[in-house]
């Protein structure tokens, strides 16, 4: 079964990200062709990146990195729920991404952005970050390359169903942000 992690992109006290991630989960969980898990970065207590060796080497020295690595590695694809902070994604989410590398590789990534202006710039920013992490971001929708696995193309069919909720969310935040 395809496993999709819904990553909560804010660690701010009183953050909206968890509510939105649960909302996304609610929409998707009835699907029979994938299973979904909401993952809260806050639970992993990641400091600012404190690994001496580049994550591309996969030589982790800290317990928090190993725990985070195991969780991310358990997924085939991701939906990042990202706030927009100063026209980008959150520092907490970027930090969580920077801690790892191979765990993101050759997996698909979809995005739900939100914020005062709909989170569009945060998603655009994050999409480039994930492309560097060798994830296939669904807005590109290019044919799968041979290096990409079949799980990527299966996720693309899921993300098509996500497009409408993403769009709805961008309007939704401006009208009534959930508490
Ligand atoms: C430091 C900071 C910077 C922000 N910058 C932007 C911004 O550039 N564009 C925007 O639309 N909203 C911006 N906002 C509003 C947030 O996107 C909004 O408060 C959102 O709910 C934050 O997500 P969170 O509640 O999950 O942390 C900013 C908020 C904060 C705290």
């Amino acid at each position: 079964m395809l496993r999709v992690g819904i990553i909560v992109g804010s660690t701010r006290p009183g953050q909206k990200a968890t509510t939105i991630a649960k909302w996304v989960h609610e929409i998707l969980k009835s699907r029979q062709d994938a299973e979904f898990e909401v993952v809260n970065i806050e639970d992993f207590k990641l400091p600012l990146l404190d690994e001496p060796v580049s994550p591309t080497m996969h030589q982790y020295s800290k317990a928090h990195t190993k725990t985070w690595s195991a969780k991310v590695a358990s997924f085939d694809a991701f939906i990042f729920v990202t706030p927009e902070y100063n026209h980008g994604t959150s520092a907490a989410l970027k930090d969580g991404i920077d801690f790892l590398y191979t765990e993101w590789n050759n997996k698909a990534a979809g995005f739900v952005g939100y914020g005062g202006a709909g989170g569009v710039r945060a998603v655009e920013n994050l999409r480039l970050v994930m492309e560097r992490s060798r994830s296939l971001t669904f807005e590109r929708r290019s044919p799968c390359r041979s290096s990409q696995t079949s799980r990527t193309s299966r996720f693309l069919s899921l993300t098509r169903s996500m497009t409408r909720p993403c769009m709805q969310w961008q309007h939704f935040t401006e009208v009534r942000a959930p508490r």
Side-chain angles (χ1 to χ4, degrees), residues 10 12 14-17 83-88 114-119 121:
S10 174
R12 192 178 64 82
Q15 45 93 346
K16 300 279 193 290
E84 181 167 310
Y85 291 162
N86 297 316
H87 292 189
Y114 63 95
R121 291 164 297 204

Side-chain angles (χ1 to χ4, degrees), residues 88-118:
T89 191
S90 70
L93 179 52
K94 180 65 165 54
D95 187 46
I97 292 166
D98 290 346
F99 257 98
L100 309 177
Y101 184 65
T102 55
E103 296 85 345
W104 307 116
N105 289 176
N106 297 318
K107 296 180 180 178
F111 307 94
V112 175
Y114 63 95

Side-chain angles (χ1 to χ4, degrees), residues 46-108:
L46 296 173
L48 286 175
L49 180 58
D50 63 350
E51 287 289 346
V53 178
S54 166
T56 57
M57 306 302 288
H58 206 276
Q59 293 172 11
Y60 302 136
S61 62
K62 304 285 180 0
H64 54 251
T65 315
K66 291 173 185 170
T67 308
W68 176 232
S69 166
K71 175 54 72 179
V72 172
S74 75
F75 296 111
D76 304 299
F78 308 95
I79 296 171
F80 292 95
V81 176
T82 178
E84 181 167 310
Y85 291 162
N86 297 316
H87 292 189
T89 191
S90 70
L93 179 52
K94 180 65 165 54
D95 187 46
I97 292 166
D98 290 346
F99 257 98
L100 309 177
Y101 184 65
T102 55
E103 296 85 345
W104 307 116
N105 289 176
N106 297 318
K107 296 180 180 178

Side-chain angles (χ1 to χ4, degrees), residues 12-34:
R12 192 178 64 82
Q15 45 93 346
K16 300 279 193 290
T18 301
T19 304
I20 298 161
K22 287 179 179 169
W23 174 76
V24 171
H25 189 216
E26 206 52 42
I27 292 167
L28 292 173
K29 71 181 186 188
S30 62
R31 294 190 67 116
Q32 304 298 312
D33 52 354

